Structures are given as C-alpha cells and as structure tokens.
Amino acid sequence: MLSAARPGDVTAALPENAPARGEPFENIFHDFERIIMPGITHWNHPRFFAYFSISAAPVTVLAEALAATLDVNAMLWRTSPAATELEEVVLAWLRSMLGISQAFSGIVYDTASIAGFTALAAAREALDLDIREAGMTARELPALRVYITDHTHSHIEKAAIALGIGRANVVRIPVDDAFRMRPEALQEQIERDRLRGMRPMCIVATVGTTSTTSTDPVDAIASVARKHATWLHVDAAYAGIAAILPEHRDLLAGVDSADSIVVNPHKWLFVPIDLSCLYVRRPEIVKRAFSLTADYLLTSEDNVRNYMDYGLQLGRRFRALKLWFVLRTYGVEGIQRKLRRHIALAQEFADWVRRDHDWEIVAPHPLSVVCFRLSSGAHAQRTLDALNERLLDAVNASGEMFISSTKINGRTALRLAIGNERTTRGDVRAAWDLLRRHASEIRALYEENV
Ligand code: PLP
C-alpha cells in the first residue's frame, strides 16, 4: 500500500540520459512494472485510509484518456468551445447539487491550493490599492491582513507569502473546544488591526479542516466579514462535497454570503486528481486580478468566457470531462449513496474505537474521518505519543493498509479517512483488527522494556 521504496531507489534504477533511439513499448511497460510500480503508494486502493482517502471512478480513467487523446488546451473559448462550455455547465450542475446560490460562477483549477491562491489574489485586487499597476514595493501601503486558525490548510499561508502579504500578517484566530474559529475573537482582532491602521484583506473559514474535519461557523464569520467589507473565502475542499446530502446541507450554511468557495471533486467526488472548483460571487474581480492578453492571444468572440483570464496559467487541461462522466454515470442519487456509506463506515469504526477501553476518540467525527489513538494504561502523554507513532509505522509497514497521523492539541493522533468507492465494511474491519493486533504487540514490547 505505502511504497516500500527507499529514497533514491527509483532514480538508481533509471538511466542517466534519455535513450538515443526509440524503444518498443513492451520494454517501456516492463520497466513500468519493474521500476515504477514498486515506487507507487496505492492511493486508489480500498485500504488506503491516509490523508483524505480518494478514488478515481473507472469511467474517469476513460475521460482522462479521451482528454489526452484530443490533447485539448482550454485556454480560450475558441481553442475548444466544448471544453469551456462543458466546464460552465458541469460547474453549474455541481453548484446546484451543493445548494450554492446561482449568484456564484465556477472555475476549475488543478488544486484547492491554486484556487485559494487565486481567491486571495482577488481579495487583494478588491481592496482597490492599485497593486496590479503600482505593485507593493517602494510606496506606502497599510499592512494587509489575512485571518485563519491553527487548523486552516497551509496553502493559505503559502499564498500570502507568494502575494507579498507576509507571514507576519497571517493572523491565527483562537478556536473553541471543537477546533472552530471563534467569531467574536475574529471581530476583536479585526477591530484591533483597524485601530493600528492595518487593512483586513481576507478571512478564510474552513468547512472540514484537514486534521479533524471541524467546520468553522461560516454564518457568524460572514457577518464579521460583511461588517468590515472583507473578502471571505470558504475552504470546503473536502467536506463541502458532503453538502450533496440533504442531511449535511447545513455544512455550507452561510456560504452564500462568502466571496469565494472551493470544493475538490478530486477529494470526495470520485474524480482522479486533479480537479478543484472555485465558486466566486464576483468573477470580474478575479479577471481584473489576472487578465492580460498578449497580441498572439487576441480573439474576436464576444460574450464567451476565456478561462485563461481567471488565473495565472494560460494552458488548461480539459478537466470538466471527467466530472461530467462521473455525474452522469452515478447520478446524484448514486453519489449520495456512496457518500452516506463512507460516513456510516467511519461512524461504525468510531463506535468500535469508543467501545474499547484501550483506545480513545480525540476529536468530533461528523463525516468520514476519525481521529483516535491508543490510550491504554497509565502511560505519560509522551509515552503514549511514542506508542502511537510506533503503531502507525508498524501498521503501515505491514503493507496491508495505510493510515496517517496528525497532532491534536500537541498530542499524536491517528487518522482513519474513508473516501474510496471500493472500500467495504470488511476493509474497515480488517484495518481495526490490524491496529489492535499491532497495538498489543507494541504494548507488550514496551512493558517488557520498562
Ligand atoms: N484545503 C483543505 C481543507 C485540505 O484538506 C487540502 C488538502 O488536503 C487542501 C485545501 C489542499 O488541497 P489541494 O491538494 O487540492 O491543493
């Protein structure tokens, strides 16, 4: 599952230079199996429970092959009208499945990180500080502030670095016991910053944080954003997809007051990496931040969207095709069934953990991710951290499953994520049995050595 390759193994098996003459495909494929496959970690395996578990629906493999066969570059409408228009239509379908207002329009990016960078660039442009023309250097500008929490995904801080905001201006707002941003603390921080002459630029609320899948109170955060005329970006990369379920629609409550929202079909909508959807209320601001048409790209059509105007990149893959294939193959009901099954499996796993005195649940688990740890005996926290880390290494080294870990309140937690469409109850049960088996061995070893 987790590749057993050591650093440098793959490089050492490959020649230093490209072959001078073409080679038969059998030789290439032979080396693919011999050299590449041992260096692959099997993301598409039903017992891959690490990070956010994902899956590529079989039909999307065909969509990717078709997109590559046609080698479409969807930079301008005219460079493949079908790619641009299918993207508009499919993103409108998804918007309606998620219950997001029609006031938002969608744009596909490769990843949520690039979508987040684009949203922050738009937030900076919306300040009307003439940064597009005059830049940020050699002139007086207020400090531009970005508000996140300790649980916000790291791409936001990276975007702030790249956009010249500076890490010192990325402010971490305190969270409550369930790891959710405290809106009153946000309000106080913004008021303090304003008094110091700083300029709030963007608030980032997360629906489904990476470590624990906690959800910030978007509604209350949106009122603070409105009050201070600050861009609100909602990062719903993983958990936003669950709003396709009527019983989880409330995950996106309040997002209609946001300026931008990102959801990742490549996380939990059975589309292979990469495909991330950014919904923006004012696409003209994104366009203002990025549009720059070189002479060789001039085009004569009116009333069409040229997606190259909405981001840094010019060339764009035909990503909408794979999302279209998934939505049509499964239909909304089929997708709902799969999401419900993942959530139910995660809840059942959490029940097994809760009922065993040697283990504990360490964070709320409303969706398909469970954070837990071995907690047996009267061991000191540091010892428990070490035990859990050894357990993680042991189960992953078994090759039978792959889980990851995180830190919650400074303590090591194991994280089991369910998101592969082929994961069965038997797979989750096998993971639990393997965890318990390795836990007894590690504990016995530890007790012998004390
Ligand atoms: N936002 C959240 C909440 C995430 O969990 C992740 C990745 O796990 C990202 C953003 C980044 O996603 P991507 O890999 O699409 O850039």
Side-chain angles (χ1 to χ4, degrees):
M1 190 90 29
L2 174 64
S3 168
R6 284 157 310 165
D9 278 359
V10 177
T11 314
L14 294 167
E16 247 173 63
N17 293 300
R21 292 201 186 79
E23 298 180 58
F25 184 72
E26 299 106 76
N27 295 9
I28 303 171
F29 195 71
H30 175 72
D31 283 350
F32 174 79
E33 293 190 298
R34 186 177 67 88
I35 303 171
I36 304 301
M37 284 309 285
I40 293 295
T41 290
H42 291 282
W43 282 81
N44 212 6
H45 194 286
R47 292 191 188 173
F48 182 107
F49 298 113
Y51 313 114
F52 282 119
S53 160
I54 56 180
S55 60
V59 73
T60 60
V61 178
L62 184 59
E64 290 287 53
L66 286 171
T69 306
L70 300 169
D71 206 4
V72 169
N73 184 338
M75 58 192 198
L76 295 167
W77 176 86
R78 63 158 56 174
T79 61
S80 273
T84 296
E85 294 187 19
L86 186 68
E87 182 165 331
E88 289 172 323
V89 169
V90 173
L91 264 64
W93 287 4
L94 181 61
R95 182 184 63 203
S96 138
M97 288 163 66
L98 295 166
I100 295 175
S101 151
Q102 287 188 7
F104 285 81
S105 71
I107 310 164
V108 168
Y109 295 90
D110 54 357
T111 57
S113 302
I114 296 302
F117 167 82
T118 307
L120 259 70
R124 195 182 66 172
E125 179 62 24
L127 295 174
D128 284 327
L129 292 172
D130 198 29
I131 290 171
R132 182 186 157 109
E133 285 312 310
M136 297 178 77
T137 55
R139 67 190 185 116
E140 281 294 308
L141 279 180
L144 308 183
R145 306 283 269 179
V146 174
Y147 304 92
I148 64 170
T149 74
D150 273 342
H151 296 262
T152 306
H153 190 268
S154 54
H155 76 276
I156 295 295
E157 208 167 335
K158 278 198 192 177
I161 296 167
L163 288 165
I165 306 304
R167 285 186 79 186
N169 289 309
V170 179
V171 188
R172 287 161 194 272
I173 304 298
V175 293
D176 66 15
D177 291 348
F179 317 113
R180 298 171 298 204
M181 184 187 281
R182 287 177 34 218
E184 74 289 355
L186 172 70
Q187 165 77 23
E188 285 160 21
Q189 180 69 47
I190 293 183
E191 280 167 6
R192 272 199 302 279
D193 286 356
R194 283 188 171 268
L195 283 175
R196 291 158 71 201
M198 295 167 154
R199 187 85 187 265
M201 181 185 105
C202 186
I203 302 166
V204 180
T206 308
V207 171
T209 56
T210 314
S211 274
T212 70
T213 75
S214 61
T215 287
D216 292 328
V218 177
D219 235 341
I221 293 170
S223 348
V224 180
R226 263 198 311 275
K227 185 165 167 203
H228 294 281
T230 302
W231 188 285
L232 173 58
H233 177 62
V234 177
D235 178 0
Y238 152 74
I241 296 295
I244 294 173
L245 297 171
E247 63 274 29
H248 286 291
R249 230 349 118 74
D250 58 349
L251 279 166
L252 293 184
V255 299
D256 283 350
S257 311
D259 294 279
S260 51
I261 308 152
V262 68
V263 293
N264 264 11
H266 75 219
K267 280 195 173 25
W268 205 10
L269 201 53
F270 317 110
V271 168
I273 192 158
D274 46 10
L275 200 171
S276 180
C277 305
L278 181 70
Y279 287 98
V280 283
R281 201 146 46 81
R282 291 171 289 165
E284 66 282 4
I285 300 199
V286 181
K287 191 169 173 183
R288 217 168 74 198
F290 286 103
S291 169
L292 190 69
T293 307
D295 293 344
Y296 41 81
L297 292 169
L298 288 172
T299 179
S300 51
E301 297 85 11
D302 291 328
N303 298 323
V304 295
R305 180 168 274 187
N306 294 312
Y307 274 117
M308 70 160 195
D309 287 336
Y310 295 85
L312 209 52
Q313 70 183 99
L314 169 63
R316 301 176 85 246
R317 297 202 321 111
F318 186 7
R319 294 190 179 88
L321 192 65
K322 54 187 172 181
L323 182 54
W324 189 49
F325 275 27
V326 163
L327 298 183
R328 293 193 60 190
T329 302
Y330 295 147
V332 177
E333 288 173 16
I335 289 166
Q336 288 173 332
R337 267 196 302 279
K338 287 173 192 291
L339 298 177
R340 278 196 187 106
R341 206 170 52 81
H342 289 163
I343 295 171
L345 286 174
Q347 300 310 313
E348 189 170 11
F349 176 82
D351 274 348
W352 298 334
V353 175
R354 201 174 285 108
R355 279 197 256 116
D356 190 322
H357 298 310
D358 288 341
W359 299 79
E360 65 179 331
I361 295 284
V362 291
H365 47 85
L367 299 168
S368 69
V369 173
V370 182
C371 294
F372 63 103
R373 65 194 244 130
L374 182 62
S375 68
S376 61
H379 300 308
Q381 287 309 339
R382 227 159 5 122
T383 310
L384 276 179
D385 281 353
L387 276 179
N388 278 281
E389 281 150 27
R390 284 181 71 172
L391 174 59
L392 180 76
D393 289 345
V395 292
N396 288 341
S398 76
E400 289 177 49
M401 64 183 265
F402 181 29
I403 58 168
S404 54
S405 66
T406 187
K407 291 272 180 197
I408 299 181
N409 294 329
R411 294 167 50 188
T412 302
L414 307 179
R415 222 175 135 280
L416 182 120
I418 298 175
N420 188 287
E421 62 174 343
R422 286 171 294 280
T423 298
T424 61
R425 185 174 185 277
D427 292 318
V428 182
R429 188 74 215 181
W432 178 227
D433 292 344
L434 195 73
L435 279 160
R436 284 191 304 173
R437 204 165 60 240
H438 281 281
S440 338
E441 284 166 19
I442 285 170
R443 238 180 1 232
L445 245 163
Y446 176 82
E447 269 144 28
E448 262 173 39
N449 291 332
V450 171

